[in-house]
Amino acid sequence: MLSASLMPGNGAKACTNIIVTRGASKDNSCIVSYAADSHVLYGELYYHPAADWKPGALLNITEWDTARPMGSIAQVPHTYKTVGNMNEHQLIIAETTWGGREELLDTTAVMDYGSLIYVTLQRARTAREAIKVIVDLVNEYGYASEGESFSIADRDEAWVMDLIGKGVDLRDGKNLRKGMVWVARRVPDGYICSHANQARITTFPLDDPENCLYAPDVISFAREMGFYEGADEDFDFSAAYCPYDFGTVRACDARTWSAFNTLCDGVFTYEKDGVTVTEKASDYYDYITGENLAHRMPLFVRPARKLGVKDVADMMRDHFEGTPLDMTTDIGAGGNALPYRWRPMGFSYNGWNYINERAIATQQTGFWFVAQARHDLPDMIGGLLWFGTDDAATSYLTPIYSNTDAVPECFREGNGSMLEYSSTASFWINNRVTNHCYKAYNIMAPTVREAIDKFENSQIDEKVKAMDAAALEAYNRILPKAEKKASSSKDYFAPVRKMLTDYSVSTAQNQFDAWVALEQLLVVKFIDGNVKAQDADGNFIHSKYSERMPAGLVQPGYTDKWKEAVVRDHGDVIRER
């Protein structure tokens, strides 16, 4: 039977996060990646300007997954600007859903997990503040969703937080247990963390508030509910509130393993009881394949090298390539090494149940990002959200500064939907590109990946650095005047934000136009299973007699794995006599 986290649903219940601390990054920034994976979620960039609110103002809460009205909460006097999952103070919050014990779902609560993220981004400046805001909101209004893992980072620290509600007391049908049980652990500097729809925090220090925070009743409530009987120091949050099984490990924790495996060059190095431990990633094959569910992976590991945005972005494009779970090599990949399996993930045949692999990159992504909280730049400039839509493996990330004052039209909320095609929307052009590739993946996807790498590398290596320098020069020029007249209502930094906004919008729109052209190229170059030749400048090679007739046309055919399967199934009929 498929686990709850594998079953189809409306929400973003199949997501992946990677967390990189300052000491593990190339540029002294905290990095968080996120893929919002859902079959019904439309890819767009949420934007809320900073605002002041009158006493008594209320905020209506709408469930992020379903648009269902949940109720209202008291508004705060001032809310911060948010762009996607980042705010103007470089705070980042992302998530993955893990379900957990069904009896802990609170059907009377107001705050769903998505609203909890976006409301917190409007109210908190730092990761520690965010944890407090999350806890306070849930304690006052209840938690209406399943179990979640949150990635929470600012310019200094990165945290991972596991949480789940307390359910409804069925003795009288009223919620006598409003709130949640939770644990938050700071990712040690120089380390990385990852989570993918499975609660990751097991045991945790009980007296280290600098690095670990938790609900005061996180252990006693588990005892009350019959989830745990042992000593406090042996309490395992994940085992108590999110019991793992074959499905959650194979389809969820396996993605975390793959991220660690690649970013650590196949070696897990971590601290345990004050001792440095070094293990091979392959030692955990028994766990990720479901053979030994007790062999849990470490929560934090050291990467093999300092990581940058491109390292993390490319990790989000992973399909287990080069591992025993490689989705491009078995017959399920068809004749052109397609690293996807259409849903449902599980199927039964001849009395046996099977589950296809679920990689980090997946076809049903709404939007995804790699966010940077850059310690060495002021908040005005430091927050950078590399944002994209649809399948990460065949879509690009474009830089959006978190202090932008506008959203590019291609990402604008309301520009299309899952039921409404828009020719000006990033989500739809990326879907067109990737669905072309699904027909002949190993032939077509490399063309798309080449275009992705060219754009992202030029932004990372050159253009963003130039924009940072120009914005910082303007910021430093304005800063003395702004500090001198701090009581003034004048917006001294408006010119800086305009620079950042113009850059974010124009870069996104120009790349959108480039992707429209790429989609047209794919149609022409790969039509009908043929591949047209191009010269070094990208021009199609034509025949000696006509510029309208291609030359050098090739037909790549199929993989040997596919040929073997066809011969085994149908060879007696199609074999030459």
Side-chain angles (χ1 to χ4, degrees):
M1 180 179 178
L2 296 181
S3 67
S5 60
L6 292 179
M7 299 178 73
N10 292 332
K13 297 181 180 179
C15 311
T16 306
N17 287 187
I18 299 170
I19 307 171
V20 179
T21 56
R22 282 174 50 197
S25 71
K26 289 180 178 178
D27 63 355
N28 202 31
S29 66
C30 288
I31 302 173
V32 174
S33 68
Y34 176 47
D37 300 333
S38 165
H39 295 275
V40 301
L41 179 66
Y42 187 69
E44 52 196 349
L45 184 57
Y46 313 136
Y47 175 77
H48 298 279
D52 294 315
W53 304 91
K54 294 180 179 179
L58 296 176
L59 173 65
N60 292 326
I61 300 298
T62 300
E63 190 170 39
W64 181 48
D65 287 337
T66 66
R68 176 171 63 101
M70 303 293 287
S72 61
I73 66 174
Q75 187 57 279
V76 294
H78 179 77
T79 53
Y80 304 125
K81 178 194 301 183
T82 65
V83 180
N85 287 56
M86 195 170 193
N87 74 11
E88 62 183 293
H89 298 292
Q90 305 198 63
L91 176 64
I92 309 162
I93 307 179
E95 59 78 28
T96 71
T97 302
W98 40 263
R101 296 185 181 273
E102 294 181 359
E103 63 267 40
L104 299 185
L105 181 63
D106 183 353
T107 56
T108 69
V110 172
M111 296 303 300
D112 67 288
Y113 77 95
S115 300
L116 199 58
I117 290 173
Y118 296 112
V119 171
T120 298
L121 285 169
Q122 295 179 49
R123 300 183 177 199
R125 297 168 61 100
T126 69
R128 288 177 188 264
E129 282 184 17
I131 294 169
K132 183 179 187 304
V133 169
I134 289 168
V135 172
D136 289 347
L137 282 169
V138 169
N139 285 342
E140 184 168 359
Y141 299 105
Y143 180 62
S145 299
E146 302 168 281
E148 288 283 332
S149 294
F150 283 176
S151 298
I152 308 173
D154 58 31
R155 57 185 297 184
D156 294 309
E157 298 181 330
W159 291 71
V160 58
M161 182 181 188
D162 281 346
L163 57 96
I164 193 168
K166 294 183 176 182
V168 176
D169 193 319
L170 298 179
R171 288 173 296 183
D172 58 8
K174 296 180 180 179
N175 184 3
L176 304 179
R177 298 196 295 255
K178 184 183 292 184
M180 64 182 181
V181 284
W182 58 276
V183 179
R185 295 198 63 182
R186 187 175 70 86
V187 186
D189 194 45
Y191 283 73
I192 63 174
C193 183
S194 178
H195 53 91
N197 307 115
Q198 171 65 42
R200 293 275 287 122
I201 297 177
T202 56
T203 57
F204 53 92
L206 301 177
D207 189 20
D208 186 10
E210 187 64 24
N211 299 293
C212 183
L213 303 168
Y214 54 90
D217 61 345
V218 65
I219 301 174
S220 61
F221 181 72
R223 288 200 182 96
E224 175 188 338
M225 296 296 293
F227 303 155
Y228 183 67
E229 296 180 348
D232 283 5
E233 58 269 23
D234 298 326
F235 178 72
D236 181 327
F237 182 94
S238 176
Y241 293 112
C242 182
Y244 38 92
D245 57 26
F246 174 85
T248 62
V249 168
R250 189 65 179 261
C252 302
D253 267 359
R255 282 176 272 150
T256 290
W257 174 87
S258 192
F260 283 179
N261 176 51
T262 297
L263 299 177
C264 300
D265 287 352
V267 178
F268 292 176
T269 301
Y270 60 97
E271 299 293 321
K272 183 176 182 180
D273 299 327
V275 177
T276 299
V277 178
T278 300
E279 300 173 318
K280 294 179 181 178
S282 58
D283 292 342
Y284 287 89
Y285 284 161
D286 63 344
Y287 175 66
I288 63 169
T289 57
E291 297 294 332
N292 181 6
L293 297 182
H295 192 198
R296 302 296 300 277
M297 292 185 297
L299 180 58
F300 313 124
V301 293
R302 294 178 189 166
R305 67 196 67 83
K306 300 279 188 175
L307 303 175
V309 167
K310 186 62 171 164
D311 298 303
V312 179
D314 287 346
M315 193 66 245
M316 297 297 289
R317 298 179 167 117
D318 179 66
H319 308 106
F320 295 111
E321 286 89 348
T323 77
L325 306 184
D326 193 334
M327 298 182 71
T328 68
T329 58
D330 68 273
I331 192 56
N336 291 113
L338 178 67
Y340 297 108
R341 308 293 182 267
W342 309 136
R343 300 304 186 252
M345 286 178 59
F347 62 94
S348 299
Y349 185 73
N350 282 346
W352 288 91
N353 294 330
Y354 300 87
I355 298 178
N356 284 313
E357 308 300 349
R358 199 305 201 178
I360 294 175
T362 186
Q363 66 270 23
Q364 74 269 12
T365 299
F367 65 83
W368 68 293
F369 65 75
V370 177
Q372 285 182 282
R374 297 184 291 175
H375 179 272
D376 298 339
L377 288 169
D379 287 346
M380 178 69 65
I381 303 166
L384 197 57
L385 184 76
W386 297 83
F387 186 79
T389 58
D390 197 43
D391 183 347
T394 44
S395 64
Y396 58 87
L397 291 177
T398 188
I400 306 290
Y401 283 89
S402 66
N403 261 292
T404 183
D405 285 332
V407 168
E409 173 64 17
C410 61
F411 296 140
R412 177 180 57 82
E413 288 185 79
N415 184 8
S417 72
M418 290 297 285
L419 297 176
E420 178 188 12
Y421 180 81
S422 171
S423 62
T424 61
S426 166
F427 179 82
W428 282 113
I429 192 60
N430 274 306
N431 266 278
R432 292 175 69 101
V433 166
T434 197
N435 276 276
H436 281 304
C437 293
Y438 294 159
K439 294 180 295 184
Y441 201 84
N442 61 341
I443 300 169
M444 299 177 70
T447 296
V448 177
R449 183 57 181 268
E450 182 180 358
I452 290 171
D453 290 345
K454 181 178 179 180
F455 172 71
E456 290 178 350
N457 287 331
S458 68
Q459 290 295 319
I460 293 168
D461 296 338
E462 303 168 19
K463 295 181 181 179
V464 165
K465 289 182 179 179
M467 185 67 247
D468 287 344
L472 185 61
E473 191 278 331
Y475 176 88
N476 287 334
R477 188 174 62 250
I478 295 169
L479 184 60
K481 183 185 297 184
E483 290 179 334
K484 184 176 181 180
K485 299 182 179 181
S487 60
S488 172
S489 61
K490 182 177 179 180
D491 185 2
Y492 287 97
F493 291 106
V496 179
R497 291 201 310 278
K498 184 178 187 304
M499 295 171 66
L500 302 177
T501 301
D502 290 348
Y503 182 84
S504 299
V505 171
S506 64
T507 300
Q509 288 301 132
N510 289 339
Q511 184 61 9
F512 171 83
D513 293 340
W515 233 239
V516 172
L518 176 65
E519 195 255 346
Q520 296 170 358
L521 170 69
L522 295 177
V523 172
V524 175
K525 181 173 182 176
F526 298 102
I527 192 171
D528 297 336
N530 301 311
V531 180
K532 297 182 178 72
Q534 294 173 278
D535 62 23
D537 295 324
N539 303 305
F540 285 114
I541 298 174
H542 57 79
S543 74
K544 177 180 179 181
Y545 304 106
S546 173
E547 293 183 357
R548 301 181 64 191
M549 185 173 293
L553 197 74
V554 297
Q555 292 146 343
Y558 300 101
T559 63
D560 286 343
K561 177 68 72 172
W562 182 88
K563 295 173 186 176
E564 176 188 355
V566 170
V567 168
R568 185 170 58 249
D569 180 70
H570 200 54
D572 290 344
V573 175
I574 63 175
R575 186 176 63 245
E576 289 188 18
R577 300 299 193 267

